Amino acid sequence: MTEDAPKKLFIKTYGCQMNVYDSERMAEALGAKGYVTTEVAEEADMVLLNTCHIREKAAEKVYSDLGRLRPLKQAKPDLKIGVAGCVAQAEGEEILRRMPLVDLVVGPQSYHRLPEMVEAKGKVIDTDFPEEDKFDHLPERKALRGPTAFLTVQEGCDKFCAFCVVPYTRGAEVSRPVPRLLAEARDLVSRGVREITLLGQNVNGYHGEGEGGAWGLGRLIREMAGIEGLERLRYTTSHPNDMDDDLIAAHGEVPQLMPYLHLPVQSGSDRILKAMNRKHTAEEYLRLIERIRAARPDILLSSDFIVAFPGETDRDFEDTMDLIREVRFGAAFSFKYSARPGTPAAEKPELPAELADARLHALQALITEQQHAAQKAMVGRQVGVLYEKAGRLPGQMVGKSDHLHAVHVQDPTAKVGELVQVRIVEAGPNSLRGERLQP
Ligand code: SF4
């Protein structure tokens, strides 16, 4: 590599959409130090693992990925290896102790300091929750993934669900101020973005400072919808208790707000919801869904479920299945409970693995049935599709429908970024096929 040649950065992103956003921002921050991203780890001057702590054995997976980088580090001793994200926050010094090949460890709240950290001599670790707002110290947005973009509006969580590490790794809820978000959204749109997904660990708890005081998410969405050229808005992930009247009304009143909502419930049993510290009942969730559907009848709902939470009986599990039957979800993420060290639920005895497997299997079968029914119900309907990329077949485009279904359309003259009207003609197991309506 010559003095002036750009340094190459390989980022592996684990887990959620917030991490995808963070990885883009980290790449931009390191861009200021001459780094350009590469898809090939072997040619990188720096490898950054942007980790997630939500899934089972998350830390162990990161350690084993780090182990696999050993030959690369041996072949290229100048290679910098960094660990970022929630595992970095949770494990801290332990990463440097167990994996001496790691040069830097950076938590989710301090990655704006990466440019200084890569210049530092020796090992560096920064898992602070700094006073300064990292977003004030990050460079302008550059890395765009075509016509869609994520925009983090809120971070952290104050809910302390008994199974979750987020309040410990991401810290307390912090909302970014309205003017900054509007400026970032306008900037994204000026670069060709037509759909923005607002992100937060507890996004509908958003309460950022705007004109006249704190704004809720509904008001932020209404304001953003006024940005010319911004055709679609989505948000994720929400807590049922923060779905306020204004946000629910926005689903019926703001055409740019897409008819898809991910609203985790986790369980349909009040006993388990209480043990999970979710602070709502199954009935309250069902009434909330009624109100959301009254505002936007065609909304497609998705959720998260944890099966075999400590103490879950057959009756509790059946309550969850009943809730699923009543709501009829269009999609869902479901997991067997697995303990996260440091959380209250981790103190409790786990259920037998075979029982957890059987329950997960039954729940996923029901969700799959509902998902397929929701997809089949789209056949014959006219939907908007935003083309995100070319498909595998010649002349084919792939995009997302208003309801977040992947849709394949034969449209040889179309371009990525076009938002077109399509009639759905076929529903496959994982995607839909549509025909473009003229013009
Ligand atoms: S609301 Fe979500 S992020 Fe917050 S503690 Fe519960 S599961 Fe974790």
Side-chain angles (χ1 to χ4, degrees):
M1 193 176 68
T2 68
E3 274 275 291
D4 299 314
K7 289 169 277 184
K8 295 202 173 149
L9 169 68
F10 175 85
I11 304 188
K12 175 170 177 177
T13 304
Y14 303 64
C16 64
Q17 289 162 324
M18 291 199 66
N19 265 14
V20 174
Y21 175 88
D22 286 345
S23 290
E24 288 176 2
R25 305 300 316 255
M26 286 181 209
E28 287 159 11
L30 288 167
K33 289 287 167 202
Y35 282 91
V36 295
T37 52
T38 172
E39 302 289 313
V40 186
E42 287 70 24
E43 61 180 39
D45 301 286
M46 176 168 184
V47 172
L48 195 53
L49 306 185
N50 187 17
T51 61
C52 168
H53 212 303
I54 291 287
R55 300 281 174 267
E56 197 176 3
K57 301 194 178 81
E60 287 315 309
K61 279 180 188 144
V62 172
Y63 284 122
S64 87
D65 282 356
L66 285 168
R68 276 198 284 277
L69 288 172
R70 216 173 263 126
L72 204 57
K73 180 87 170 182
Q74 276 159 0
K76 277 174 106 171
D78 288 341
L79 173 72
K80 277 202 183 286
I81 297 183
V83 182
C86 289
V87 172
Q89 188 70 39
E91 295 281 298
E93 298 265 357
E94 180 68 5
I95 296 177
L96 296 180
R97 197 188 63 73
R98 275 182 64 178
M99 285 288 163
L101 58 90
V102 173
D103 300 287
L104 62 94
V105 174
V106 61
Q109 298 311 334
S110 34
Y111 66 72
H112 57 293
R113 295 175 177 165
L114 268 172
E116 301 145 45
M117 293 176 78
V118 287
E119 304 252 291
K121 296 261 178 289
K123 312 266 175 201
V124 255
I125 174 161
D126 189 341
T127 50
D128 283 356
F129 287 96
E131 290 275 307
E132 78 265 17
D133 180 350
K134 68 173 178 249
F135 295 106
D136 289 348
H137 297 266
L138 289 166
E140 273 202 331
R141 301 295 302 270
K142 273 197 211 85
L144 293 180
R145 298 167 300 110
T148 65
F150 294 132
L151 173 52
T152 292
V153 303
Q154 178 278 337
E155 284 192 290
C157 183
D158 299 339
K159 296 280 191 287
F160 289 93
C161 297
F163 51 83
C164 182
V165 287
V166 165
Y168 311 99
T169 57
R170 292 269 176 165
E173 284 180 23
V174 179
S175 296
R176 297 179 65 197
V178 172
R180 305 255 172 84
L181 296 173
L182 292 175
E184 197 170 324
R186 281 192 199 99
D187 181 51
L188 289 167
V189 172
S190 75
R191 292 160 195 266
V193 166
R194 304 188 77 184
E195 172 180 313
I196 293 180
T197 301
L198 307 177
L199 298 179
Q201 266 93 25
N202 193 19
V203 70
N204 59 344
Y206 176 80
H207 54 273
E209 274 308 302
E211 207 186 308
W215 286 28
L217 188 66
R219 188 166 175 194
L220 179 69
I221 285 171
R222 288 170 200 275
E223 191 69 21
M224 266 191 196
I227 297 175
E228 209 183 316
L230 181 55
E231 311 277 356
R232 289 172 151 195
L233 281 160
R234 305 181 190 274
Y235 61 93
T236 198
T237 290
S238 298
H239 189 287
N241 290 4
D242 288 321
M243 288 302 298
D244 63 24
D245 291 346
D246 186 46
L247 182 55
I248 294 173
H251 277 281
E253 293 165 3
V254 179
Q256 291 89 340
L257 184 55
M258 291 291 100
Y260 180 96
L261 176 62
H262 181 66
L263 192 59
V265 62
Q266 310 294 1
S267 170
S269 152
D270 287 345
R271 225 175 55 79
I272 295 300
L273 286 168
K274 191 155 191 279
M276 288 176 164
N277 195 31
R278 291 287 292 176
K279 301 195 181 79
H280 63 79
T281 64
E283 187 59 25
E284 283 162 350
Y285 183 84
L286 292 170
R287 298 297 75 85
L288 177 60
I289 296 297
E290 269 175 17
R291 288 168 56 216
I292 295 166
R293 282 193 167 136
R296 183 77 204 235
D298 71 334
I299 198 160
L300 195 133
L301 293 157
S302 87
S303 194
D304 290 340
F305 293 93
I306 295 174
V307 301
F309 187 79
E312 186 187 75
T313 62
D314 287 345
R315 181 65 255 163
D316 294 320
F317 178 66
E318 278 313 313
D319 286 347
T320 301
M321 297 291 270
D322 286 346
L323 180 137
I324 296 172
R325 285 184 198 102
E326 184 159 348
V327 174
R328 291 169 286 106
F329 290 97
F333 300 95
S334 49
F335 310 97
K336 280 183 288 182
Y337 170 77
S338 75
R340 301 288 174 278
T343 58
E347 312 284 307
K348 301 187 181 164
E350 291 188 28
L351 299 189
E354 313 77 64
L355 183 69
D357 284 338
R359 286 183 185 167
L360 184 65
H361 187 74
L363 184 143
Q364 288 183 336
L366 179 58
I367 293 284
T368 304
E369 199 182 298
Q370 296 190 344
Q371 188 175 331
H372 288 168
Q375 285 175 202
K376 280 203 185 109
M378 300 307 295
V379 175
R381 283 181 61 177
Q382 177 180 336
V383 294
V385 175
L386 178 60
Y387 288 149
E388 293 181 11
K389 58 182 182 187
R392 276 201 228 126
L393 301 177
Q396 190 186 53
M397 299 300 285
V398 188
K400 293 277 167 39
S401 73
D402 304 340
H403 296 85
L404 209 57
H405 287 125
V407 184
H408 293 80
V409 186
Q410 208 54 37
D411 196 353
T413 56
K415 291 193 180 63
V416 167
E418 272 187 67
L419 178 60
V420 300
Q421 288 299 306
V422 158
R423 183 165 322 279
I424 302 300
V425 293
E426 193 183 335
N430 300 312
S431 64
L432 306 175
R433 193 166 66 79
E435 284 172 358
R436 182 171 176 169
L437 297 170
Q438 297 306 331

